[in-house]
Amino acid sequence: MKDASPQAVYLSDYTPPAYLVDKVSLVFRLDPAATRVLSRIEFRPNPDAASGQPLKLDGEKLKLIGAAVAGEALQDGEHSLTDTALTIPASRLPDGPFVFEAEVEIDPSANTALEGLYMSNGMYCTQCEAEGFRRITYYPDRPDVMAPFHVRIESDMPVLLSNGNPGDSGDGFAEWTDPWPKPAYLFALVAGDLVAAKDSFTTRSGTPVELGIWVRPGDEGKCDYALDALKRSMKWDEDVYGREYDLDVFNIVAVDDFNMGAMENKGLNIFNSKYVLASPATATDTDYENIEGIIAHEYFHNWTGNRITCRDWFQLCLKEGLTVFRDQQFSGDMRSKPVKRIQDVLQLRARQFREDNGPLAHPVRPSSYIEINNFYTATVYEKGAEVIGMLKRLVGDDGYAKALDLYFDRHDGDAATIEDWLAVFQDATGRDLSQFGRWYTQAGTPRVSVTDDFKDGTYTLHLKQETPATPGQPAKQPQVIPVAVGLLNPNGDEVQPTTVLELTEAEQSFAFDGLSAKPVPSILRGFSAPVILDRKTTTEERAFLLAHDTDPFNKWEAGRALAKDVLARMVTERAAPGPAYLNALERVARDDTLDPAFRALALRLPSEDDMAQTLFDAGVTPDPLAIHDAREKLMLALAEHLSASLPRLYEAMNIPGPYSPDSKAAGCRALRQTALAMLARLDDGKTAAKQFRDADNMTEQLGALGVLLSVGHGQEELGTFYRQWQSDRLVIDKWFALQSSTAAPRKAADTTLALTRHPDFDWKNPNRFRSVIGGLAMNAAGFHDPSGASYELVADWLIRLDPMNPQTTARMSTVFETWRRYDADRQALIRGALERIAATPGLSRDTTEMVGRILGSA
Ligand code: PHE
Ligand code: ZN
């Protein structure tokens, strides 16, 4: 049977599993094209489900060799088999508990989707979230069925790993036992010619844990930073959340072919090698920061995701939103909190606001899906984390700590829901959270508009909230929006420290009295809610806040708003950038009391995509080329205005001594890079060319190369770079991405086309595909070339990749999600490209769903 028209799954249709599992034993006889999987599963009827149901096991792309119930082989006619399930009628099942056994054959070498058991560079590895285990054997592949697993791997590969603690091993086999009940999506197996970087960690109750990061021979020298980040994560989760690790070993494996960033399999995390391997010469500061954050994220899942998992995939944000929130807290503690907050909000706006304001908008907890893989989104992850940040602000730090303790106490070992999560907060703090629950069910970014007045010493803020319609949700209810506010006197002193206003109605006013003069408000401090703030202000007021706000986030935000105002006027009125903005930024650039990382962020201009959305929100159809030109002009104007201080700044941020990835040094390099980019506009890239030659670390080498390309030079250096790094895939990914993402607008499609013909363009490798094709989509002006050449090129490659790897194809199709912003000609071209993808015979369910939703027809 084929799925002709893929069926949607609804949250409201949830029913508990008919059978629970007490124990799973698996034997793997590994072979590239014919692996045998023998399973022995102890089932028992679920007392909370209707009795007398058939046993329905999920299974895809499996060859059934044989199966037995209660020791008796299933005969023909005693079960039914489809492309997706094996079903045994109740009449063939004993009353009460029984053992099911099966032997299946699978073909890892033919598995290009990278879901289930597959091969990457001759090594076996697995990816089971969300529904990959069904490609390994027949099983109730749903997160609310949790069981302990015993695994035996038979193979002549030197290293054989699975979840849990190691058991017996010998020539050609190894056994692993995971005592903690887990859903099948957390299963993992790895077999290969691997070497480990090892270390150990002793938990606060004194249990030693052996840590191993497994990589291909030759990469063992690039694991130090990941190991260090892992130990710091383990300690932090003990100190801050009281959570200890619970097995004797914790292993991480780096693989080159991976659809996502990393995966939290119990005791055996599997990582995209890009988020593990680092050395100063090959990894940038951003890479180091990502490694730290993702190592922490996957480790933190051990409690938020694994010990407490999700009842069903609609509850994905229960583990992901919370775990992102936790990794953001961790990174803030390891580095600078304000800088981390600004970076997270930049990400949120670039990815989640973009999603929430287009055809793919969906609630943090969706209520239906066709392919669950399409819901690992910025909304579930990043907005999911913001929702928890709001909850924490509303109940306070102590309330949050109490609620989390109760959550771990009450739900350890459970497959839980968002209702369970909110109930824990209600029970721990006494606060009614029924209205707050709307953050989980309503899609769209609320817009909060603000007006104010001042009379007789009383300053009043009038707030209004409105959430636009999103697909399937025409009308919205008011949400609880925590708006953190502070007030400054005209002389710059803070007269009202940060206080949280709770906006619960569509319209509400808040008064502050006893003031001697009309204050300047600093609203939504720390970005206290994921909303769009709409308030008419003057350039002077923004410059005032940039100079005086005590809240670092809003200080930065004031500068950002200034830049957007200036850019918008440059695009729509061809206005020149005024002195107010240039002088304000000059003060930031020269203020040595400010953290360099903060200054770098304040000096960075809004992205072209951000400007396109901003103009669109203001009722202007964005022209990507005009935005690109305006941004280039502003960069030049800024460079000229700062010309006297740039060389000094560039030199001052040069820290002597060997490269260190710590956040202070990285902050200096970030500011130095900002200075370099401006300098290049004045010295035709001379300083950048020198930096490229002298660099002893990837941050400075790649930074210089990017700057050279952005001012029309760097062709020779591209060649040098390639020859130097030819044998390092992760570095060559950067080489590809830099070219497609920075090519001049009219040349971007041709440049990318040429890159796709490069012998190193291994398009079946997701990292490489994303570097080249995703890089083009990041090049806003180049992607939106009026000829439509880039749209066609991307469509061609999506059509080519889809049969190999639906998951990565579907994810990449989101590059088209903003199409409704643009002019009629571009819309027609994009629609044409999307319709061509949609019409491809045999298109995967993943891509069919995404393209349909983007077009607005699903
Ligand atoms: N659960 C993984 C994470 O958040 C993401 C992931 C999803 C990885 C699906 C692979 C497949 O870290
Ligand atoms: Zn996660």
Side-chain angles (χ1 to χ4, degrees):
M1 247 190 291
K2 272 252 156 293
D3 348 271
S5 61
Q7 289 296 299
V9 184
Y10 295 91
L11 167 60
S12 55
D13 286 346
Y14 174 83
T15 48
Y19 295 89
L20 300 177
V21 175
D22 286 324
K23 191 171 189 279
V24 180
S25 303
L26 301 172
V27 178
F28 286 82
R29 302 199 170 124
L30 296 180
D31 179 275
T35 287
R36 288 286 171 104
V37 184
L38 286 71
S39 58
R40 181 183 184 280
I41 308 169
E42 296 178 18
F43 282 104
R44 120 181 99 86
N46 182 358
D48 295 331
S51 59
Q53 297 189 60
L55 177 69
K56 187 172 177 216
L57 304 176
D58 302 297
E60 283 175 19
K61 299 190 169 12
L62 306 174
K63 187 161 131 201
L64 181 62
I65 307 294
V69 169
E72 300 220 11
L74 284 181
Q75 306 301 323
D76 278 355
E78 290 186 331
H79 62 274
S80 73
L81 203 55
T82 68
D83 273 356
T84 57
L86 165 67
T87 309
I88 305 172
S91 57
R92 178 61 178 80
L93 303 171
D95 284 344
F98 60 91
V99 172
F100 168 86
E101 290 161 286
E103 179 167 358
V104 303
E105 189 175 295
I106 52 181
D107 182 355
S109 67
N111 182 349
T112 57
L114 315 182
E115 253 190 295
L117 179 65
Y118 66 95
M119 307 207 66
S120 171
N121 287 324
M123 110 193 205
Y124 295 86
C125 66
T126 56
Q127 172 52 46
C128 293
E129 188 177 6
E131 299 182 330
F133 192 74
R134 62 189 62 185
R135 294 172 184 219
I136 292 177
T137 194
Y138 289 103
Y139 196 74
D141 189 8
R142 44 187 290 168
D144 56 355
V145 173
M146 299 172 81
F149 279 59
H150 178 271
V151 175
R152 178 183 166 90
I153 310 167
E154 298 175 4
S155 163
D156 52 14
M157 288 287 183
V159 174
L160 307 173
L161 305 170
S162 189
N163 314 91
N165 293 321
D168 246 16
S169 64
D171 209 16
F173 81 98
E175 297 189 358
W176 290 82
T177 306
D178 184 358
W180 299 102
K182 68 165 176 288
Y185 82 85
L186 292 173
F187 169 81
L189 175 152
V190 169
D193 182 7
L194 299 169
V195 289
K198 292 212 164 172
D199 205 331
S200 69
F201 178 85
T202 304
T203 67
R204 68 172 179 187
S205 54
T207 312
V209 182
E210 224 187 278
L211 313 176
I213 299 193
W214 298 86
V215 297
R216 291 198 284 153
D219 284 338
E220 57 274 28
K222 292 184 183 163
C223 303
D224 295 356
Y225 190 75
L227 264 178
D228 181 59
L230 175 59
K231 287 185 289 180
R232 286 184 282 122
S233 305
M234 295 177 87
K235 175 79 167 64
W236 186 92
D237 215 13
E238 291 183 348
D239 292 347
V240 180
Y241 280 83
R243 299 293 113 203
E244 283 185 37
Y245 189 60
D246 54 6
L247 291 166
D248 304 337
V249 299
F250 187 80
N251 286 314
I252 292 176
V253 179
V255 303
D256 291 330
D257 298 279
F258 203 71
N259 283 331
M260 307 279 276
M263 180 63 210
E264 70 264 23
N265 317 299
K266 183 83 188 189
L268 179 55
N269 286 186
I270 296 182
F271 271 60
N272 187 322
S273 52
K274 159 184 175 136
Y275 296 120
V276 177
L277 304 178
S279 71
T282 58
T284 62
D285 289 331
T286 306
D287 292 326
Y288 278 97
E289 198 169 341
N290 287 337
I291 290 170
E292 178 178 60
I294 296 177
I295 291 271
H297 179 96
E298 306 311 331
Y299 175 72
F300 295 158
H301 267 314
N302 192 53
W303 274 93
T304 52
N306 302 1
R307 289 284 287 257
I308 304 178
T309 193
C310 304
R311 186 193 71 174
D312 54 71
W313 292 118
F314 296 102
Q315 323 293 331
L316 185 57
C317 64
L318 180 76
K319 75 176 176 81
E320 296 303 348
L322 177 55
T323 305
V324 170
F325 182 71
R326 275 151 51 71
D327 82 55
Q328 291 175 346
Q329 285 184 302
F330 169 79
S331 296
D333 284 352
M334 295 296 125
R335 293 165 179 256
S336 147
K337 270 200 201 29
V339 167
K340 176 65 179 159
R341 185 62 187 145
I342 295 166
Q343 289 172 332
D344 289 341
V345 174
L346 273 168
Q347 275 286 320
L348 182 81
R349 285 179 173 154
R351 302 176 358 99
Q352 201 277 326
F353 279 24
R354 172 182 151 117
E355 180 168 81
D356 226 359
N357 288 288
L360 297 176
H362 57 275
V364 172
R365 182 174 70 180
S367 55
S368 78
Y369 59 77
I370 290 174
E371 171 51 63
I372 185 56
N373 284 332
N374 289 335
F375 282 83
Y376 287 77
T377 61
T379 297
V380 169
Y381 277 65
E382 268 94 70
K383 188 176 179 182
E386 290 299 316
V387 169
I388 293 174
M390 285 189 285
L391 203 46
K392 182 161 179 279
R393 222 177 255 275
L394 291 170
V395 302
D397 291 354
D398 293 344
Y400 178 79
K402 265 195 227 145
L404 268 284
D405 285 345
L406 181 59
Y407 180 61
F408 293 121
D409 260 17
R410 186 185 281 176
H411 291 294
D412 187 11
D414 286 354
T417 61
I418 288 301
E419 284 73 16
D420 294 330
W421 166 253
L422 288 174
V424 154
F425 276 79
Q426 295 203 158
D427 295 349
T429 67
R431 191 186 164 107
D432 177 4
L433 290 169
S434 37
Q435 187 187 8
F436 187 85
R438 288 177 191 155
W439 279 108
Y440 286 101
T441 54
Q442 292 194 151
T445 309
R447 280 141 219 257
V448 175
S449 45
V450 183
T451 54
D452 61 355
D453 59 57
F454 181 70
K455 220 175 104 198
D456 303 332
T458 299
Y459 178 70
T460 309
L461 283 171
H462 307 282
L463 306 185
K464 261 194 212 182
Q465 62 164 301
E466 203 187 333
T467 303
T470 52
Q473 291 190 336
K476 317 278 173 158
Q477 305 277 300
Q479 295 181 181
V480 192
I481 303 180
V483 181
V485 171
L487 301 177
L488 305 180
N489 246 354
N491 68 6
D493 291 340
E494 188 168 79
V495 286
Q496 167 68 60
T498 305
T499 177
V500 178
L501 313 178
E502 290 183 21
L503 176 61
T504 56
E505 314 284 324
E507 291 186 37
Q508 233 169 312
S509 298
F510 300 87
F512 301 85
D513 46 28
L515 297 164
S516 53
K518 183 175 183 184
V520 177
S522 165
I523 306 172
L524 209 69
R525 284 186 156 180
F527 203 66
S528 58
V531 302
I532 293 171
L533 192 66
D534 180 14
R535 175 166 175 266
K536 296 229 163 18
T537 30
T538 60
T539 303
E540 289 65 36
E541 192 178 306
R542 295 207 203 279
F544 175 88
L545 286 173
L546 175 58
H548 299 293
D549 204 328
T550 55
D551 180 71
F553 177 83
N554 266 9
K555 186 180 174 73
W556 169 81
E557 179 80 325
R560 166 109 332 197
L562 266 180
K564 283 190 176 183
D565 290 349
V566 170
L567 271 170
R569 263 180 278 121
M570 289 175 76
V571 172
T572 57
E573 304 161 21
R574 303 188 169 276
Y581 171 69
L582 296 172
N583 291 333
L585 278 212
E586 185 179 6
R587 275 193 296 276
V588 173
R590 286 171 175 271
D591 186 348
D592 291 331
T593 65
L594 291 172
D595 178 3
F598 177 88
R599 276 193 276 167
L601 286 168
L603 291 170
R604 197 189 298 163
L605 299 180
S607 73
E608 293 173 25
D609 190 63
D610 190 354
M611 280 315 297
Q613 182 68 38
T614 302
L615 288 169
F616 180 75
D617 287 342
V620 179
T621 299
D623 174 354
L625 289 168
I627 294 174
H628 179 79
D629 289 344
R631 199 174 173 279
E632 285 300 314
K633 282 207 185 85
L634 183 54
M635 185 86 136
L636 178 62
L638 203 50
E640 283 167 348
H641 190 80
L642 296 177
S643 59
S645 45
L646 286 176
R648 183 198 67 87
L649 190 60
Y650 180 73
E651 276 320 312
M653 290 302 125
N654 185 18
I655 16 164
Y659 173 92
S660 153
D662 70 90
S663 73
K664 230 180 134 248
C668 292
R669 281 188 293 268
L671 183 52
R672 191 163 197 252
Q673 172 71 18
T674 310
L676 182 67
M678 287 192 258
L679 266 177
R681 266 78 186 173
L682 306 176
D683 71 2
D684 202 28
K686 245 182 65 218
T687 313
K690 178 167 183 342
Q691 177 174 313
F692 182 83
R693 287 194 302 275
D694 297 348
D696 66 352
N697 64 78
M698 183 50 67
T699 307
E700 290 178 340
Q701 191 182 14
L702 193 71
L705 183 56
V707 165
L708 282 172
L709 292 173
S710 73
V711 294
H713 297 299
Q715 288 310 312
E716 201 187 310
E717 285 83 354
L718 268 177
T720 312
F721 189 95
Y722 178 78
R723 286 187 297 278
Q724 184 182 352
W725 295 114
Q726 205 164 359
S727 62
D728 188 315
R729 316 171 166 239
L730 295 176
V731 179
I732 293 301
D733 284 338
K734 300 180 199 300
W735 180 82
F736 273 107
L738 194 62
Q739 295 177 72
S740 55
S741 66
T742 64
R746 307 246 173 215
K747 292 192 184 145
D750 281 348
T751 301
T752 308
L753 181 65
L755 290 173
T756 62
R757 294 180 175 151
H758 192 282
D760 289 346
F761 180 58
D762 171 11
W763 57 275
K764 292 173 191 165
N765 175 264
N767 287 356
R768 191 62 46 97
F769 189 89
R770 283 187 284 255
S771 291
V772 177
I773 306 299
L776 174 60
M778 303 244 303
N779 184 338
F783 181 54
H784 293 289
D785 186 306
S787 73
S790 296
Y791 305 147
E792 291 307 319
L793 183 63
V794 173
D796 288 346
W797 279 100
L798 293 181
I799 290 168
R800 182 129 170 219
L801 186 64
D802 186 66
M804 307 289 304
N805 188 334
Q807 212 179 314
T808 289
T809 308
R811 183 160 281 264
M812 188 69 78
S813 72
T814 60
V815 300
F816 291 115
E817 76 183 326
T818 56
W819 69 292
R820 295 269 188 200
R821 279 183 197 156
Y822 298 98
D823 54 87
D825 290 345
R826 285 191 172 89
Q827 286 200 29
L829 291 167
I830 301 179
R831 174 186 281 283
L834 286 167
E835 284 172 347
R836 185 157 69 86
I837 300 171
T840 305
L843 194 71
S844 68
R845 175 169 64 170
D846 308 55
T847 307
T848 303
E849 179 185 23
M850 291 301 278
V851 171
R853 284 167 60 207
I854 295 171
L855 279 167
S857 54

